[in-house]
Amino acid sequence: MWIIIRKKGYLWDVGTVMRIIRKEYYIGNLVQSTKEVVGFGDNKKLVNTDSSKWIIVEGVVPTIISKELFEKANQACPKKH
């Protein structure tokens, strides 16, 4: 199922909206170390790290939405299995 939203000439699908909903940046948190480089030379790959290794600093970025609204949106849209 695709939900397409047209806004100022841009085409948004469900994946785009879901990525936006999941970003803690909008509640003022700075999240780092979500990916790491594995391998070397021509075999380098960028892989996702476990969320327990992420560095999260709260209150660094100006908030755009409230934490309550952020949590409510994430509860309404479950993550992929």
Side-chain angles (χ1 to χ4, degrees):
M1 180 175 102
W2 287 85
I3 297 173
I4 299 174
I5 303 168
R6 284 205 178 273
K7 185 171 182 172
K8 297 184 182 179
Y10 292 103
L11 193 61
W12 294 23
D13 62 18
V14 173
T16 303
V17 174
M18 295 303 286
R19 280 190 300 277
I20 291 170
I21 288 174
R22 301 261 184 261
K23 292 186 186 267
E24 289 189 37
Y25 180 82
Y26 297 109
I27 59 171
N29 295 347
L30 180 63
V31 182
Q32 295 179 313
S33 299
T34 59
K35 298 184 185 296
E36 66 180 329
V37 177
V38 176
F40 60 93
D42 292 337
N43 296 323
K44 281 197 258 186
K45 293 180 183 177
L46 195 59
V47 296
N48 294 330
T49 58
D50 187 50
S51 60
S52 63
K53 295 181 180 180
W54 292 1
I55 300 169
I56 301 173
V57 183
E58 296 181 4
V60 175
V61 183
T63 58
I64 296 173
I65 62 169
S66 68
K67 191 170 184 173
E68 294 80 24
L69 181 60
F70 177 80
E71 290 172 357
K72 190 175 182 180
N74 278 285
Q75 288 173 356
C77 301
K79 292 183 179 180
K80 283 194 237 180
H81 297 293

